[in-house]
């Protein structure tokens, strides 16, 4: 079945005029410039998945007793479509997002969307909206697949009805103009506890992170980094990104995956690229205390955040109640820059793709 057959499209009667779109794409920022269409499907326990289509992007009419509004039974994904160097369009590892969406669904007691439906919904939407990829540095079409519990019922139980949708957003860099970011290490708030939902991409995790993110902003930082919930010592991840450390012997490290850390697809891609280059790569616990000591001694030369939105963003400063510290030269380091360039080259089809990560749509 072709993507158009799986997600048939009814085009909007009022598409955004090309000149208006072009003006919006000059400096889109992140998360505000939406395209004209969205993908939709709905699920109910009796009939399974149905109503698969690409339609005009429009507001939803939902009952005020809709389950998600009360109990936050919601999951989402984030992936990008890129313009390739040969003028084509490609998604990056959409099947990996599809699988993570299934894991998140399981954790939130939601139905699993079949992998091909997830991937085809993304492909169909990108095919419809490829003109919305900004031709600027760091420009991409960010896709936001998500699922919400839509049953009208106030008892606390897994919803029997769900809505799946994919939005497309024209984006530039997540941290505008930032060569490196500052992060706030939250020593009072935690993001995820063992047995909780930290490894799922669910809205509730982000809602719970916002007060710490607000503290980060109040301290002049761009993002918050969370420590483990048990010992309050080990670095886990940022509010919306994974974290890597680079050492003076050329090795890199990142916290190991667990049920309190989101298994980032960028994280996995960077680990694979680094191992492919023969670099020493460790997935190991690393404490804030050790991070501070290694930054001071020079053993730690770089640190960076990574994710679909952030790509690879160097971390220049860490602030914390227990003491601030600076990392390396304060700008992009050589290892972060070279891993970032290698990842972007694969995403733009400017480098070989031995792992078949690119899903080309042309
Ligand atoms: N960790 C969190 C909490 C995130 O929100 C994200 C972004 O999706 C990531 C890590 C990075 O994941 P990915 O590389 O798949 O975008
Ligand atoms: C992503 O990178 O896809 C995320 O969900 C992170 C968020 C900061 C936009």
């Amino acid at each position: 079945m072709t993507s158009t057959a799986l997600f048939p499209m009814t085009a909007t009667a009022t598409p955004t005029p090309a000149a208006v779109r072009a003006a919006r794409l000059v400096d889109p920022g992140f998360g505000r410039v939406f395209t004209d269409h969205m993908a939709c499907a709905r699920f109910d326990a009796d009939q399974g998945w149905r109503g698969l289509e690409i339609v005009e992007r429009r507001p939803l009419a939902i009952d005020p007793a809709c389950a998600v509004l009360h109990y936050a039974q919601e999951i989402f994904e984030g992936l990008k479509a890129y313009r390739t160097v040969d003028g084509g369009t490609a998604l990056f590892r959409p099947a990996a997002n599809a699988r993570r969406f299934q894991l998140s669904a399981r954790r939130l007691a939601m139905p699993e969307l079949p992998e091909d439906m997830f991937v085809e919904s993304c492909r169909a939407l990108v095919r419809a909206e490829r003109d919305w990829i900004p031709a600027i540095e760091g420009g991409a079409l960010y896709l936001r697949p998500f699922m919400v519990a839509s049953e009208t019922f106030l008892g606390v139980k897994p919803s029997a009805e769900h809505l799946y949708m994919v939005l497309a957003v024209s984006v530039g860099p997540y941290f505008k103009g930032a060569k490196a970011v500052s992060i706030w290490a939250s020593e009072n708030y935690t993001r995820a506890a063992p047995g909780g939902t930290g490894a799922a991409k669910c809205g509730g995790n982000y809602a719970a992170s916002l007060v710490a993110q607000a503290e980060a902003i109040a301290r002049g930082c761009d993002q918050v980094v969370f420590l483990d919930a048990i010992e309050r010592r080990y670095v886990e991840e940022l509010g919306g990104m994974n974290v890597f450390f680079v050492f003076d012997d050329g090795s890199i490290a990142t916290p190991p995956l667990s049920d309190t850390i989101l298994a980032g697809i960028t994280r996995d891609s960077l680990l694979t690229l680094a191992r492919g280059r023969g670099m020493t790569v460790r997935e190991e616990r690393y404490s804030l205390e050790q991070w501070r000591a290694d930054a001071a001694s020079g053993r730690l030369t770089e640190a960076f955040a990574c994710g679909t939105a952030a790509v690879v963003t160097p971390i220049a400063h860490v602030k914390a109640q227990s003491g601030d510290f600076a990392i390396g030269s304060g700008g992009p380091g050589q290892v972060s820059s070279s891993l970032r360039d290698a990842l972007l080259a694969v995403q733009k089809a400017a480098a070989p793709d031995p792992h078949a990560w690119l899903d080309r749509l042309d």
Side-chain angles (χ1 to χ4, degrees):
M1 196 182 270
T2 66
S3 60
T4 40
L6 199 51
F7 277 82
M9 175 162 170
T10 308
T12 176
T14 54
T16 304
V20 174
R21 182 177 61 223
R24 288 190 195 152
L25 298 191
V26 174
D27 184 15
F30 193 99
R32 293 185 195 280
V33 177
F34 295 98
T35 68
D36 288 335
H37 299 90
M38 61 184 184
C40 298
R42 55 187 190 278
F43 175 92
D44 69 58
D46 295 334
Q47 298 182 71
W49 290 103
R50 64 207 163 93
L52 284 55
E53 54 184 350
I54 304 287
V55 291
E56 181 176 47
R57 183 180 181 279
R58 56 180 176 238
L60 301 174
I62 50 171
D63 192 280
C66 184
V68 66
L69 298 181
H70 300 270
Y71 309 122
Q73 197 184 5
E74 187 267 359
I75 57 172
F76 69 95
E77 268 304 326
L79 66 162
K80 279 176 174 168
Y82 300 87
R83 180 92 61 218
T84 56
V85 285
D86 53 7
T89 314
L91 282 161
F92 185 69
R93 305 190 67 181
N97 293 90
R99 288 191 289 271
R100 191 170 65 186
F101 199 59
Q102 292 181 331
L103 290 175
S104 300
R106 235 173 279 158
R107 180 62 184 83
L108 272 285
M110 299 174 94
E112 286 176 40
L113 185 75
E115 184 177 316
D116 66 330
M117 267 191 215
F118 180 101
V119 173
E120 291 300 344
S121 64
C122 295
R123 287 180 181 155
L125 188 60
V126 174
R127 285 198 175 102
E129 308 286 45
R130 64 176 100 219
D131 292 343
W132 287 85
I133 302 178
I136 57 171
E137 178 147 3
L141 196 61
Y142 179 80
L143 300 185
R144 171 51 61 84
F146 66 107
M147 183 174 8
V148 299
S150 54
E151 191 176 349
T152 301
F153 179 67
L154 286 189
V156 181
K157 60 139 192 125
S159 176
E161 294 166 24
H162 298 272
L163 289 179
Y164 168 72
M165 277 166 281
V166 189
L167 303 176
V169 197
S170 304
V171 299
Y174 190 74
F175 297 109
K176 198 180 164 196
K179 293 244 178 307
V181 293
S182 298
I183 60 174
W184 167 247
S186 181
E187 290 166 288
N188 50 344
Y189 295 112
T190 56
R191 173 184 176 275
T197 56
K201 202 159 166 63
C202 61
N205 289 342
Y206 297 79
S209 77
L210 294 178
V211 66
Q213 176 64 21
E215 269 191 4
I217 291 165
R219 309 274 174 160
C221 294
D222 302 283
Q223 268 275 315
V224 57
V225 62
F226 288 103
L227 305 179
D228 77 283
I230 308 263
E231 297 184 57
R232 308 281 183 111
R233 285 183 65 199
Y234 294 101
V235 178
E236 297 233 301
E237 63 178 319
L238 278 57
M241 291 140 216
N242 294 115
V243 61
F244 275 78
F245 311 100
V246 181
F247 298 93
D248 60 355
D249 61 359
S251 65
I252 62 171
T254 190
L257 294 180
S258 70
D259 62 354
T260 60
I261 292 184
L262 188 77
I265 293 157
T266 316
R267 174 190 181 280
D268 179 74
S269 306
L270 292 170
L271 287 173
T272 305
L273 287 173
R275 287 190 177 116
R277 292 172 162 205
M279 291 169 70
T280 301
V281 171
R282 293 183 301 277
E283 295 177 67
E284 68 182 11
R285 299 182 93 191
Y286 191 59
S287 68
L288 177 63
E289 211 182 331
Q290 191 67 46
W291 191 3
R292 186 184 288 110
D294 289 344
S297 74
R299 179 178 172 247
L300 178 104
T301 52
E302 303 173 35
F304 60 86
C306 70
T308 298
V311 193
V312 170
T313 302
I315 298 169
H317 292 101
V318 180
K319 294 189 184 176
Q321 222 133 38
S322 57
D324 301 352
F325 56 99
I327 297 169
S329 61
Q334 190 262 323
V335 174
S336 337
S337 300
S338 111
L339 284 172
R340 178 189 162 89
D341 291 349
L343 180 66
L344 287 173
V346 177
Q347 290 170 337
K348 297 194 151 293
D353 180 20
H355 310 289
W357 284 339
L358 266 198
D359 184 35
R360 302 195 64 143
L361 302 182
D362 314 276

